[in-house]
Amino acid sequence: MEENHDSTENPQQSQGQNKAMKCGWLRKQGGFVKTWHTRWFVLKGDQLYYFKDEDETKPLGTIFLPGNRVLEHPCNEESPGKFLFEVVPGGNRERMTANHESYLLMASTQNDMEDWVRSIRRVIWGPFGGGIFGQKLEDTVRYEKRYGNRLAPMLVEQCVDFIRQRGLKEEGLFRLPGQANLVKELQDAFDCGEKPSFDSNTDVHTVASLLKLYLRELPEPVIPYAKYEDFLSCAKLLSKEEEAVSR
C-alpha cells in the first residue's frame, strides 16, 4: 500500500515541473512483500514527491529529506543491473515514517543513480555547506563567505595547495587518473558537508582527479557562457600585443 502525505502545494500543478530540481522515472520498493513499483519522482524544495504517472497531479506520497541521509548500494553479482540507492533516517531515528524504515529506490543506469544521489544530497547538505559537486559556483562561494573572503571554493583551494606542494614535479599530473574509489570517498565526504584533509599518504593524482571532477560537474564552466566571447576577444588582443612587442 502506497503512503500518501497531503501537501498544501502540489509540486506538479501549482508551479509546474519546470521549477523542480530534478524529475524522472525510478522504481520504488514497497508493500508488505516488498515488490517494485515504477513511479514518477519529482525533487522540489526539500521533498521528494512520487506519482503513479508523469501526468498525475496528486502525489502518491512524499519523502521529507532534511535530517535524513541518502546511501548508494554498490552493484554485486546477486543484483547485476540494479542501480540502487536508499533514503534512510538521520540522527538516532530508526524509521523514516510509521510505515517506512527507509525508501529503497532503483534507477535505470549508474549515471542516473549518481545524479539522483547528488541532487538529493544537495537538498540535505546544501544548507550545511555540502552538496557542492554539481552546485552552482556562486552558491558555493556565497555559503563559504561565512568563513572569510576567499578567491575560490575551499575544495579548490585545498586541492590546488596540495598539488603545489607535492605535485608540480609529478609526471602525468592531470593526465594520469587517481584512485577511483578514494576519489569517490572524498567526493561523498565533501558532498556530506565534511572537510576531509589530505596527508602525506594521499596520492597527488587522486587529488588532481578530485579537482577535475569538481570542475567538470559545475553546471556552468569556470568561464561562463555569457563571457566566453569576451575572453576570446581578450586573448586576441593579448596575442596582438605580444606580436607587436616581439617585432
Side-chain angles (χ1 to χ4, degrees), residues 72-84 110 113:
E72 295 182 34
H73 288 257
C75 292
N76 54 56
E77 295 180 357
E78 297 180 359
S79 58
K82 289 187 177 181
F83 307 100
L84 304 173
Q110 178 74 19
M113 179 198 70

Side-chain angles (χ1 to χ4, degrees), residues 65-240:
L65 297 174
N68 297 310
R69 297 178 297 139
V70 58
L71 307 174
E72 295 182 34
H73 288 257
C75 292
N76 54 56
E77 295 180 357
E78 297 180 359
S79 58
K82 289 187 177 181
F83 307 100
L84 304 173
F85 62 101
E86 189 172 10
V87 182
V88 300
N92 296 322
R93 293 181 298 117
E94 295 182 356
R95 303 182 68 86
M96 293 280 295
T97 67
N99 295 332
H100 287 82
E101 293 182 5
S102 63
Y103 291 85
L104 185 62
L105 307 172
M106 185 195 308
S108 57
T109 66
Q110 178 74 19
N111 287 340
D112 191 36
M113 179 198 70
E114 291 176 355
D115 194 34
W116 274 106
V117 169
R118 281 195 299 269
S119 298
I120 293 172
R121 279 182 178 161
R122 200 169 302 128
V123 171
I124 296 173
W125 295 106
F128 308 101
I132 62 174
F133 281 81
Q135 185 180 59
K136 291 181 179 179
L137 188 61
E138 56 265 33
D139 291 343
T140 303
V141 172
R142 187 182 301 115
Y143 177 86
E144 292 183 354
K145 278 185 177 179
R146 66 187 63 194
Y147 302 116
N149 292 325
R150 296 177 177 274
L151 298 176
M154 289 189 289
L155 178 145
V156 174
E157 288 189 355
Q158 186 175 336
C159 290
V160 169
D161 288 345
F162 184 85
I163 291 168
R164 280 176 171 170
Q165 293 172 9
R166 301 179 179 274
L168 293 184
K169 296 182 179 179
E170 188 75 22
E171 184 177 351
L173 187 63
F174 291 113
R175 180 175 56 83
L176 297 177
Q179 302 174 44
N181 58 336
L182 184 53
V183 172
K184 185 71 171 63
E185 288 179 12
L186 290 169
Q187 178 191 6
D188 288 347
F190 277 106
D191 264 347
C192 290
E194 301 173 16
K195 298 294 181 282
S197 59
F198 311 139
D199 56 32
S200 58
N201 295 320
T202 305
D203 175 36
V204 70
H205 295 291
T206 295
V207 176
S209 294
L210 181 70
L211 177 58
K212 287 198 300 181
L213 178 63
Y214 172 76
L215 296 175
R216 186 167 60 246
E217 292 195 357
L218 286 173
E220 190 173 42
V222 175
I223 299 177
Y225 297 121
K227 299 295 182 181
Y228 186 70
E229 293 298 328
D230 293 337
F231 272 85
L232 286 180
S233 299
C234 288
K236 291 177 181 177
L237 288 173
L238 288 173
S239 297
K240 289 180 180 179

